[in-house]
Amino acid sequence: MALPHGVFDYLQSEYGLECECFASPLNRYAKIQNYCSQFKDTDESFGSLGSFFEFWPEEGAFECNPPFVEECMIQNIQHVLQCLKKAEEAKKSLMFFIIVPAWKDDCESYRLTTENDYKVLEIEMKKYEYFYRNGMAHQKDYTVMDVRSDSLMLVLQSSEAKKEHEIDGEKFEKEIRSKWGIESEEYMKGKRESNPNRKRQRQRQRQNGYEKDNYHERQRQSDYYRKRSRQNEYERDNYRSHKRSGQDENHEDNGSKRLEYSGHHYSKSVEEGHSH
């Protein structure tokens, strides 16, 4: 998810926004010159500065929209505060626009982001009243996303940044809401261009995937039972073969015993005849 282009344009024109701290080659706003991403080894060829956590800006304006995972948001604000501390010591103008979910209850990242000496402004956007842009740039028919939870934008500045870019809170909030809200032209245009059958297509894709999985499962079961059938047939043939060979051996043994017995009986009869 990404901020609307209108918000980026406003932050860039008014405050010189120059970098997205959490982006990727496919999920970034082209008008913003620089961006950080997770995989420097592959993304550097596409202009990435590498991981934000290994990037130490000294001055300028930066947008931080980290993944909405508590551990990542804690790491983000800790890094931001360290950068601001260094800028404060060096008397540099440095500012961050941070976008995070409004997780206020027992949330360490929220406490760290709001309870510090650098925060100058906090704007809360209510669910269903604003939108994000879809980060998958290849999906042209699905550019805007309705949001079912609250989000925050917080502005953190060093002392020099407060002097250089003094923020009128009321005006700033009005501009952000007008460009981030669902009344904006960007949202309306995105909805008009969205494919009305997209939901139905996703349901059909899921159904096709389910049917495909069932088909493969039936194939696996069929192969399994076919192998079992061949194995059982092989075992039956072996059993019959062993049984026949055992019967033949018993038959030969019984025949030899009968011959021995009949021979013995014959010899005994002859001896008795001679005796008479």
Side-chain angles (χ1 to χ4, degrees), residues 29-275:
Y29 186 36
K31 290 184 179 180
I32 306 299
Q33 183 178 1
N34 300 310
Y35 71 96
C36 296
S37 64
Q38 186 174 2
F39 305 106
K40 183 178 180 179
D41 55 342
T42 57
D43 298 348
E44 188 174 21
S45 301
F46 302 97
S48 172
L49 300 174
S51 171
F52 173 61
F53 302 127
E54 298 175 358
F55 176 55
W56 296 91
E58 297 180 353
E59 57 185 347
F62 300 83
E63 183 259 2
C64 290
N65 184 8
F68 290 178
V69 178
E70 175 66 0
E71 292 78 10
C72 186
M73 292 189 293
I74 290 175
Q75 190 176 3
N76 169 66
I77 186 57
Q78 288 175 341
H79 188 67
V80 165
L81 293 176
Q82 290 176 355
C83 291
L84 286 168
K85 182 179 179 181
K86 290 185 176 183
E88 193 72 21
E89 294 171 351
K91 296 184 178 180
K92 299 286 187 178
S93 174
L94 181 64
M95 62 189 303
F96 291 92
F97 301 95
I98 301 176
I99 293 85
V100 290
W103 296 345
K104 299 181 180 181
D105 298 332
D106 300 325
C107 188
E108 180 67 10
S109 63
Y110 175 77
R111 186 188 66 78
L112 291 172
T113 307
T114 56
E115 298 178 8
N116 59 74
D117 297 331
Y118 305 104
K119 191 193 86 168
V120 296
L121 189 64
E122 177 180 338
I123 300 174
E124 182 171 353
M125 303 296 291
K126 294 295 184 180
K127 61 182 179 180
Y128 303 118
E129 296 180 0
Y130 70 108
F131 69 101
Y132 283 111
R133 290 194 69 88
N134 178 24
M136 299 181 183
H138 62 281
Q139 295 184 349
K140 298 297 184 183
D141 60 344
Y142 183 42
T143 58
V144 297
M145 302 170 58
D146 296 312
V147 188
R148 301 177 182 178
S149 59
D150 301 345
S151 289
L152 300 172
M153 174 182 281
L154 301 106
V155 183
L156 277 64
Q157 292 179 306
S158 66
S159 298
E160 291 298 317
K162 292 176 184 177
K163 297 176 184 177
E164 183 178 347
H165 298 289
E166 185 177 356
I167 295 179
D168 183 336
E170 185 176 347
K171 178 184 176 182
F172 181 87
E173 182 171 351
K174 182 179 178 180
E175 290 289 340
I176 293 298
R177 290 189 181 280
S178 67
K179 293 171 172 55
W180 201 358
I182 57 175
E183 299 85 6
S184 67
E185 177 59 29
E186 182 177 350
Y187 177 80
M188 298 295 184
K189 181 181 178 182
K191 280 297 184 181
R192 287 195 300 268
E193 294 176 351
S194 295
N195 185 351
N197 297 320
R198 181 170 182 80
K199 183 176 181 180
R200 193 177 305 164
Q201 289 175 353
R202 288 202 302 270
Q203 291 175 344
R204 191 180 301 117
Q205 289 171 356
R206 285 195 294 268
Q207 181 65 25
N208 291 340
Y210 174 76
E211 292 175 355
K212 188 180 295 184
D213 291 342
N214 280 350
Y215 170 77
H216 290 309
E217 180 62 26
R218 289 196 300 270
Q219 285 292 102
R220 284 193 293 269
Q221 291 180 358
S222 177
D223 292 341
Y224 170 76
Y225 287 118
R226 194 178 297 114
K227 290 178 182 177
R228 283 291 303 271
S229 178
R230 286 198 295 266
Q231 180 67 22
N232 291 339
E233 186 176 349
Y234 173 76
E235 291 175 355
R236 283 197 300 270
D237 291 342
N238 281 346
Y239 173 76
R240 290 168 182 167
S241 176
H242 288 307
K243 189 174 181 180
R244 282 196 298 270
S245 62
Q247 288 176 348
D248 292 342
E249 291 176 0
N250 291 335
H251 181 71
E252 291 176 359
D253 292 341
N254 292 335
S256 61
K257 288 179 181 178
R258 283 196 298 272
L259 288 173
E260 291 175 359
Y261 177 77
S262 60
H264 174 71
H265 180 74
Y266 173 76
S267 60
K268 187 175 181 181
S269 300
V270 172
E271 290 176 358
E272 289 178 353
H274 283 299
S275 63

Side-chain angles (χ1 to χ4, degrees), residues 7-24:
V7 176
F8 276 123
D9 291 337
Y10 174 72
L11 297 178
Q12 186 180 43
S13 62
E14 293 295 322
Y15 304 99
L17 180 66
E18 60 187 70
C19 181
E20 291 182 71
C21 297
F22 294 88
S24 73

